[in-house]
Amino acid sequence: QVQLVESGGGLVQAGGSLRLSCAASGSISSINTLGWYRQAPGKQREAVAAITSGGITNYADSAKGRFTISRDNGKNTVYLQLNSLKPEDTAVYYCNAKSKWNNFWGQGTQVTVSS
């Protein structure tokens, strides 16, 4: 079992930055991939960024050049640096962990970007 707790969301002006954190606990050795998803009101949840155990990263087109995913294995934490934020980035951001068999989700953290 894996538990994920996000933090770092908030209200920011367009063009600003936020750093999201996700602390993992439980059976963390089973995690293959860590990632971030987001869901805006009235829209489907979408993948934003992911990082594998080998350090390979992948980004949605909307995130490329603006967002950076990283991890700190010593702290069992994955981060998402959000730069050059736009109002359309407003959403609840969810941390996701994938093992060989299962997906795990955090509770989400709200990011609101004002114009």
Side-chain angles (χ1 to χ4, degrees):
Q1 193 71 275
V2 174
Q3 296 81 44
L4 304 170
V5 179
E6 302 100 328
S7 62
L11 175 63
V12 65
Q13 193 172 354
S17 299
L18 287 171
R19 189 192 190 208
L20 309 183
S21 299
C22 173
S25 61
S27 301
I28 56 177
S29 62
S30 67
I31 298 172
N32 302 126
T33 303
L34 292 164
W36 291 91
Y37 289 67
R38 68 185 182 187
Q39 187 167 23
K43 299 186 68 176
Q44 294 182 343
R45 188 173 298 187
E46 63 177 352
V48 177
I51 185 167
T52 70
S53 59
I56 299 172
T57 58
N58 193 31
Y59 297 93
D61 287 342
S62 61
K64 291 178 180 177
R66 300 190 299 126
F67 299 173
T68 302
I69 188 170
S70 61
R71 70 176 191 268
D72 185 336
N73 290 335
K75 296 181 179 179
N76 300 319
T77 300
V78 62
Y79 305 94
L80 186 66
Q81 180 69 42
L82 308 174
N83 295 327
S84 302
L85 283 163
K86 306 173 182 179
E88 49 263 48
D89 295 318
T90 296
V92 177
Y93 284 70
Y94 296 92
C95 184
N96 170 259
K98 290 181 171 63
S99 69
K100 190 172 183 178
W101 286 6
N102 302 113
N103 277 316
F104 305 93
W105 296 93
Q107 82 288 349
T109 185
Q110 177 71 48
V111 171
T112 302
V113 184
S114 65
S115 59

